[in-house]
Short mmCIF file of all heavy atoms in Angstrom, two decimals:
data_model
loop_
_atom_site.label_atom_id
_atom_site.label_comp_id
_atom_site.label_asym_id
_atom_site.label_seq_id
_atom_site.Cartn_x
_atom_site.Cartn_y
_atom_site.Cartn_z
N GLU S 1 83.60 130.67 94.36
CA GLU S 1 83.42 132.11 94.50
C GLU S 1 82.04 132.56 94.02
O GLU S 1 81.43 133.47 94.59
CB GLU S 1 84.52 132.86 93.73
CG GLU S 1 85.89 132.69 94.35
CD GLU S 1 85.92 133.09 95.82
OE1 GLU S 1 85.41 134.18 96.15
OE2 GLU S 1 86.43 132.32 96.64
N PHE S 2 81.54 131.93 92.97
CA PHE S 2 80.19 132.21 92.48
C PHE S 2 79.17 131.92 93.57
O PHE S 2 78.30 132.75 93.88
CB PHE S 2 79.92 131.35 91.24
CG PHE S 2 78.48 131.32 90.82
CD1 PHE S 2 77.87 132.40 90.21
CD2 PHE S 2 77.72 130.16 91.01
CE1 PHE S 2 76.54 132.35 89.82
CE2 PHE S 2 76.40 130.10 90.62
CZ PHE S 2 75.81 131.20 90.02
N LEU S 3 79.25 130.75 94.18
CA LEU S 3 78.30 130.37 95.23
C LEU S 3 78.50 131.22 96.48
O LEU S 3 77.52 131.59 97.14
CB LEU S 3 78.47 128.89 95.56
CG LEU S 3 78.16 127.92 94.41
CD1 LEU S 3 78.51 126.50 94.80
CD2 LEU S 3 76.68 128.01 94.01
N ARG S 4 79.74 131.53 96.79
CA ARG S 4 80.03 132.36 97.95
C ARG S 4 79.35 133.74 97.81
O ARG S 4 78.78 134.27 98.76
CB ARG S 4 81.54 132.54 98.13
CG ARG S 4 81.93 133.26 99.43
CD ARG S 4 83.41 133.63 99.40
NE ARG S 4 84.26 132.49 99.21
CZ ARG S 4 84.69 131.72 100.21
NH1 ARG S 4 84.32 131.96 101.44
NH2 ARG S 4 85.49 130.71 99.95
N LYS S 5 79.43 134.29 96.61
CA LYS S 5 78.85 135.61 96.39
C LYS S 5 77.33 135.57 96.59
O LYS S 5 76.75 136.48 97.18
CB LYS S 5 79.17 136.11 94.98
CG LYS S 5 78.62 137.50 94.70
CD LYS S 5 79.07 138.03 93.35
CE LYS S 5 78.52 139.44 93.12
NZ LYS S 5 78.96 139.99 91.82
N ILE S 6 76.69 134.51 96.10
CA ILE S 6 75.25 134.37 96.28
C ILE S 6 74.90 134.28 97.75
O ILE S 6 74.02 135.00 98.26
CB ILE S 6 74.72 133.13 95.54
CG1 ILE S 6 74.87 133.31 94.03
CG2 ILE S 6 73.25 132.88 95.90
CD1 ILE S 6 74.49 132.08 93.24
N VAL S 7 75.60 133.40 98.46
CA VAL S 7 75.29 133.19 99.88
C VAL S 7 75.48 134.48 100.68
O VAL S 7 74.62 134.85 101.49
CB VAL S 7 76.18 132.07 100.46
CG1 VAL S 7 76.05 132.01 101.98
CG2 VAL S 7 75.79 130.73 99.84
N LEU S 8 76.58 135.16 100.45
CA LEU S 8 76.89 136.35 101.24
C LEU S 8 76.08 137.57 100.83
O LEU S 8 76.16 138.61 101.48
CB LEU S 8 78.39 136.64 101.17
CG LEU S 8 79.28 135.55 101.78
CD1 LEU S 8 80.74 135.96 101.70
CD2 LEU S 8 78.88 135.24 103.22
N SER S 9 75.31 137.46 99.74
CA SER S 9 74.42 138.57 99.35
C SER S 9 73.10 138.51 100.09
O SER S 9 72.25 139.39 99.94
CB SER S 9 74.16 138.53 97.84
OG SER S 9 73.32 137.44 97.50
N VAL S 10 72.92 137.48 100.90
CA VAL S 10 71.66 137.27 101.62
C VAL S 10 71.86 137.58 103.09
O VAL S 10 72.81 137.10 103.72
CB VAL S 10 71.17 135.82 101.44
CG1 VAL S 10 69.87 135.59 102.19
CG2 VAL S 10 70.98 135.51 99.95
N ALA S 11 70.97 138.37 103.64
CA ALA S 11 71.09 138.78 105.04
C ALA S 11 71.00 137.57 105.97
O ALA S 11 70.22 136.65 105.75
CB ALA S 11 69.98 139.78 105.38
N ASP S 12 71.81 137.60 107.03
CA ASP S 12 71.77 136.60 108.10
C ASP S 12 72.11 135.18 107.62
O ASP S 12 71.63 134.20 108.20
CB ASP S 12 70.40 136.59 108.78
CG ASP S 12 70.06 137.92 109.40
OD1 ASP S 12 70.99 138.58 109.92
OD2 ASP S 12 68.89 138.32 109.37
N HIS S 13 72.92 135.07 106.57
CA HIS S 13 73.39 133.76 106.12
C HIS S 13 74.91 133.75 106.15
O HIS S 13 75.55 134.79 105.93
CB HIS S 13 72.87 133.45 104.72
CG HIS S 13 71.40 133.20 104.67
ND1 HIS S 13 70.48 134.17 104.93
CD2 HIS S 13 70.70 132.08 104.43
CE1 HIS S 13 69.25 133.67 104.84
NE2 HIS S 13 69.37 132.40 104.53
N GLU S 14 75.48 132.61 106.41
CA GLU S 14 76.93 132.51 106.51
C GLU S 14 77.43 131.20 105.90
O GLU S 14 76.69 130.21 105.84
CB GLU S 14 77.38 132.59 107.97
CG GLU S 14 76.86 131.43 108.83
CD GLU S 14 77.42 131.45 110.24
OE1 GLU S 14 78.60 131.82 110.38
OE2 GLU S 14 76.70 131.08 111.17
N ILE S 15 78.67 131.24 105.44
CA ILE S 15 79.33 130.03 104.96
C ILE S 15 80.13 129.48 106.13
O ILE S 15 81.04 130.13 106.64
CB ILE S 15 80.25 130.34 103.77
CG1 ILE S 15 79.44 130.85 102.58
CG2 ILE S 15 81.04 129.09 103.38
CD1 ILE S 15 80.27 131.36 101.45
N VAL S 16 79.79 128.28 106.57
CA VAL S 16 80.45 127.70 107.74
C VAL S 16 81.72 126.96 107.36
O VAL S 16 82.66 126.88 108.16
CB VAL S 16 79.50 126.78 108.53
CG1 VAL S 16 78.40 127.61 109.16
CG2 VAL S 16 78.89 125.70 107.64
N TRP S 17 81.76 126.38 106.16
CA TRP S 17 82.98 125.76 105.68
C TRP S 17 82.89 125.49 104.18
O TRP S 17 81.81 125.46 103.61
CB TRP S 17 83.33 124.47 106.42
CG TRP S 17 82.25 123.45 106.64
CD1 TRP S 17 81.52 123.27 107.78
CD2 TRP S 17 81.80 122.44 105.72
NE1 TRP S 17 80.64 122.23 107.62
CE2 TRP S 17 80.80 121.69 106.37
CE3 TRP S 17 82.15 122.09 104.41
CZ2 TRP S 17 80.12 120.62 105.76
CZ3 TRP S 17 81.49 121.03 103.80
CH2 TRP S 17 80.50 120.31 104.48
N VAL S 18 84.08 125.30 103.58
CA VAL S 18 84.21 124.93 102.17
C VAL S 18 85.06 123.67 102.10
O VAL S 18 86.10 123.58 102.75
CB VAL S 18 84.86 126.05 101.34
CG1 VAL S 18 85.12 125.60 99.92
CG2 VAL S 18 83.99 127.31 101.35
N ALA S 19 84.62 122.68 101.33
CA ALA S 19 85.38 121.45 101.14
C ALA S 19 85.72 121.29 99.67
O ALA S 19 84.92 121.64 98.80
CB ALA S 19 84.57 120.24 101.63
N ARG S 20 86.91 120.73 99.40
CA ARG S 20 87.39 120.60 98.02
C ARG S 20 87.11 119.23 97.43
O ARG S 20 87.33 119.01 96.24
CB ARG S 20 88.89 120.89 97.96
CG ARG S 20 89.29 122.26 98.49
CD ARG S 20 88.62 123.39 97.72
NE ARG S 20 89.07 124.69 98.21
CZ ARG S 20 88.58 125.85 97.80
NH1 ARG S 20 87.60 125.85 96.92
NH2 ARG S 20 89.04 126.97 98.29
N ASN S 21 86.64 118.29 98.25
CA ASN S 21 86.27 116.97 97.73
C ASN S 21 85.25 116.34 98.67
O ASN S 21 85.01 116.84 99.78
CB ASN S 21 87.51 116.08 97.56
CG ASN S 21 88.24 115.82 98.86
OD1 ASN S 21 87.72 115.17 99.76
ND2 ASN S 21 89.47 116.32 98.96
N GLY S 22 84.67 115.23 98.25
CA GLY S 22 83.60 114.62 99.01
C GLY S 22 84.03 114.09 100.36
O GLY S 22 83.30 114.20 101.35
N ALA S 23 85.23 113.48 100.41
CA ALA S 23 85.71 112.93 101.68
C ALA S 23 85.88 114.03 102.72
O ALA S 23 85.52 113.86 103.89
CB ALA S 23 87.04 112.20 101.45
N GLU S 24 86.43 115.16 102.29
CA GLU S 24 86.60 116.30 103.19
C GLU S 24 85.24 116.82 103.65
O GLU S 24 85.06 117.19 104.81
CB GLU S 24 87.37 117.40 102.47
CG GLU S 24 87.70 118.61 103.32
CD GLU S 24 88.46 119.68 102.57
OE1 GLU S 24 89.08 119.34 101.53
OE2 GLU S 24 88.43 120.85 102.99
#
């Protein structure tokens, strides 16, 4: 959530996916 807030505070940037472990 910390990283999500940073990313979404920036214009024209998006989170394409979130993974919970390295294999994923």
Side-chain angles (χ1 to χ4, degrees):
E1 291 305 311
F2 167 73
L3 297 173
R4 187 191 302 275
K5 181 174 181 179
I6 293 175
V7 170
L8 296 182
S9 72
V10 180
D12 300 324
H13 290 67
E14 63 174 324
I15 297 172
V16 292
W17 47 261
V18 174
R20 303 300 183 186
N21 61 66
E24 184 180 339

